Amino acid sequence: QETKIRKRHFMKFKIALTIFVLSLATVATAQNKHVQKARLAYTTERFCEGIETCSNAYSKITRTGKHAKKLKGEMAFLTADCYRFTEQFREANNWYDRAILLDYQEVMPEILLYNAEMLKMMTEYDKAIEMYNEYLALVPSSDQAKVGLESCEMHKAFEAEKTRHIIENQTAITTSEFDMAPMFGDRKGKKMYWGSSRPGGIGKDEDARTCQSYMDLWVSTLDKKGNWTAPYLVKGDGINTVDNEGTVCFDSRFKTMFFTRCPVLKKQNLGCDIWMSEAKNKEEWKEPVKITGLKAHDTVSVGHPATMDGKYLVFASDMAGGFGGRDLWYTQYDRKSKTWSAPVNMGPEINTKGNELFPTFGLDGSLIYASDGMPGMGGLDIFKAARVGEENKWENPTNMGAPINGPSNDYHLIEVDPRLGYFTSERKSVHGEYNADIYSYVLPTNLFSLKVNVTDLDDAVREA
């Protein structure tokens, strides 16, 4: 009888253990399913979807132990990165903090670097310095961390040396969506083109990488009162499509337009290309054609074109052979063969181990561009490099300082005259924090207060 009781107890325990193991396996399978979904969204750069799937996978990991802790740290890191790539820096900082509490920096030290970048953008410089130093303790050779640390330590100097420029959000033409990379489409600077994800465009689907509609090219004109009119889509067959279009430039006669197009095809990782179009009339453009021969593979991106004459074209790219993330390159047009030359890197005088983007040309021929690879106010800062003689060569990039540059990303500046211009900034505005808007800057004329004391000479003689 005792043996039968023991057998019954054993069978009950075996059944209970089997149920427990099966439940653990079910939980593990469910967790694994969420984790795999999160990883897929992240690796395919569907960052908007990734915010939800990665944070959801994080919450589904309820088990304890080293493996579960590591997995939870990974999901926190991926969630943070998705927020970072969609320009939501405060949320990114919160999730990087979670990953750090889970010691995931032991697996991915870059968490400390990325979190320091977020803190710097949020002007929490003391915390950013601490985080940069923690990362440098692990990766002492990191130039990016050294530049970031130097930027934090220099922010007081930038503020102290602030210029008298007055910065104003161009609310007449900007929206709560992205409005970026302004460029003049005529000699007088009375027609402005830019890229926008605002409602009313051709690309109505949401970009999985930006959480906004696909961008199109828009234009506005300056009226007689000096106000920008209601923006409208650039006219011309095939200019705006369901893909992303942006960052436009023109030759010196404003007869040729160059712009960036980033194709959107599901399950394909395609990079951006530069397209060109000839003017049909004063308002419309002909069917554009893609500039070929600039990249070796479809996954490489080329974009952000800039030109003075339509024959020498500067652009940004992540192609192999650069100095860092994205570099500035150039290509030249050969009239005889009607082809563009193989791209040439603009060299260490311009490029860094960071990112160089959004080139334009100043009125004096200087090269103006954005970089996060040199000490600055935060994120991308605008720099100006002086032209060397009449050559297509530039050197000594100089930070344009505050208030044109701020803690957030600033980029793509164009000049109207030595005192007036426009640029893109993600500083806090009526449209929110870290939203790309078009701003103007103006340097007021110097005003002097002159006090004149007049004395009657005869009275002065009599008093003597």
Side-chain angles (χ1 to χ4, degrees):
Q1 183 68 24
E2 186 178 346
T3 303
K4 289 181 179 179
I5 292 172
R6 285 179 178 176
K7 284 183 177 180
R8 281 201 300 270
H9 284 167
F10 176 74
M11 287 302 296
K12 286 181 179 179
F13 174 75
K14 187 176 180 181
I15 291 169
L17 181 62
T18 301
I19 292 171
F20 176 70
V21 170
L22 286 173
S23 66
L24 285 180
T26 302
V27 171
T29 301
Q31 288 179 356
N32 187 60
K33 180 181 178 181
H34 290 293
V35 167
Q36 294 303 323
K37 185 178 179 182
R39 286 172 176 165
L40 181 62
Y42 179 81
T43 55
T44 54
E45 298 187 0
R46 302 198 308 273
F47 299 127
C48 304
E49 176 187 334
I51 289 171
E52 182 178 352
T53 56
C54 295
S55 60
N56 184 49
Y58 171 89
S59 66
K60 295 293 182 182
I61 302 171
T62 56
R63 297 175 64 188
T64 59
K66 289 184 178 180
H67 177 70
K69 181 182 178 182
K70 182 180 177 181
L71 203 59
K72 203 172 182 73
E74 180 193 353
M75 293 302 102
F77 164 65
L78 296 185
T79 304
D81 253 16
C82 288
Y83 274 120
R84 176 167 66 97
F85 287 127
T86 54
E87 310 281 301
Q88 300 178 72
F89 303 126
R90 292 191 182 277
E91 291 81 359
N93 165 241
N94 290 333
W95 281 93
Y96 283 134
D97 281 343
R98 295 190 191 193
I100 291 169
L101 286 173
L102 291 163
D103 298 320
Y104 199 68
Q105 67 273 23
E106 295 175 4
V107 178
M108 182 71 67
E110 287 75 18
I111 287 177
L112 299 170
L113 175 64
Y114 300 152
N115 203 23
E117 296 287 304
M118 300 303 96
L119 290 163
K120 183 177 67 173
M121 298 275 277
M122 294 157 53
T123 69
E124 296 184 26
Y125 296 111
D126 291 340
K127 290 182 180 179
I129 288 172
E130 182 181 335
M131 201 66 65
Y132 279 126
N133 282 325
E134 285 187 39
Y135 180 68
L136 284 169
L138 297 175
V139 189
S141 62
S142 172
D143 288 333
Q144 188 175 351
K146 292 174 184 176
V147 168
L149 191 60
E150 187 177 354
S151 297
C152 289
E153 292 168 343
M154 289 174 61
H155 83 275
K156 290 182 180 178
F158 277 114
E159 289 294 334
E161 297 172 4
K162 183 183 293 186
T163 65
R164 296 185 303 108
H165 288 93
I166 297 172
I167 311 298
E168 183 180 1
N169 188 304
Q170 296 299 294
T171 54
I173 57 174
T174 58
T175 63
S176 57
E177 288 75 29
F178 288 165
D179 292 285
M180 54 190 286
M183 179 55 66
F184 294 125
D186 65 331
R187 288 187 177 89
K188 296 181 179 180
K190 293 187 176 182
K191 184 180 289 188
M192 185 187 289
Y193 289 68
W194 71 94
S196 178
S197 58
R198 67 183 62 206
I202 304 298
K204 292 180 173 58
D205 292 335
E206 184 181 90
D207 188 336
R209 205 179 192 282
T210 66
C211 309
Q212 298 210 15
S213 298
Y214 291 116
M215 299 186 75
D216 286 311
L217 292 176
W218 294 74
V219 62
S220 174
T221 56
L222 205 61
D223 65 20
K224 293 180 180 179
K225 294 182 179 179
N227 300 316
W228 291 106
T229 59
Y232 55 93
L233 286 166
V234 174
K235 298 176 182 179
D237 293 335
I239 299 298
N240 286 313
T241 67
V242 294
D243 296 331
N244 273 311
E245 283 88 25
T247 47
V248 62
C249 70
F250 301 87
D251 69 344
S252 57
R253 298 186 306 132
F254 298 93
K255 297 294 185 182
T256 304
M257 175 172 67
F258 302 85
F259 64 93
T260 307
R261 174 174 289 161
C262 302
V264 181
L265 288 175
K266 289 184 178 180
K267 298 182 180 181
Q268 291 193 47
N269 181 22
L270 299 177
C272 304
D273 295 287
I274 298 174
W275 292 66
M276 58 184 293
S277 173
E278 300 298 327
K280 189 174 184 179
N281 52 52
K282 289 184 178 181
E283 279 293 325
E284 292 188 69
W285 296 88
K286 296 179 181 179
E287 187 82 27
V289 294
K290 182 168 69 175
I291 296 179
T292 58
L294 296 184
K295 59 185 192 181
H297 196 275
D298 286 343
T299 58
V300 173
S301 278
V302 293
H304 303 179
T307 187
M308 288 186 287
D309 58 5
K311 306 301 178 186
Y312 181 90
L313 195 68
V314 175
F315 61 93
S317 178
D318 59 356
M319 68 178 67
F323 290 86
R326 293 176 187 266
D327 279 12
L328 296 188
W329 301 70
Y330 71 86
T331 179
Q332 292 178 289
Y333 185 71
D334 182 77
R335 292 181 181 179
K336 290 184 179 180
S337 62
K338 295 183 179 180
T339 59
W340 292 88
S341 65
V344 178
N345 191 285
M346 297 193 73
E349 296 86 357
I350 298 299
N351 293 310
T352 69
K353 291 186 177 181
N355 294 290
E356 280 67 49
L357 303 162
F358 297 102
T360 61
F361 290 102
L363 297 174
D364 60 357
S366 57
L367 178 66
I368 303 171
Y369 63 103
S371 175
D372 61 11
M374 294 179 279
M377 295 285 289
L380 290 169
D381 269 22
I382 302 171
F383 291 79
K384 180 182 281 193
R387 189 174 186 178
V388 181
E390 296 299 317
E391 302 176 55
N392 287 322
K393 184 176 177 59
W394 293 265
E395 62 184 13
N396 300 325
T398 303
N399 191 300
M400 295 192 71
I404 289 177
N405 286 316
S408 302
N409 290 320
D410 301 286
Y411 48 95
H412 207 279
L413 183 144
I414 55 173
E415 297 177 334
V416 179
D417 58 45
R419 292 180 175 272
L420 173 66
Y422 296 85
F423 66 105
T424 309
S425 180
E426 295 175 6
R427 64 193 67 194
K428 190 172 183 178
S429 72
V430 293
H431 298 131
E433 195 171 27
Y434 312 126
N435 185 77
D437 279 345
I438 296 172
Y439 287 76
S440 65
Y441 69 87
V442 61
L443 183 63
T445 54
N446 289 314
L447 297 176
F448 296 94
S449 178
L450 182 63
K451 183 179 181 181
V452 179
N453 291 319
V454 180
T455 304
D456 188 289
L457 185 58
D458 291 337
D459 290 342
V461 171
R462 282 195 294 270
E463 288 178 6

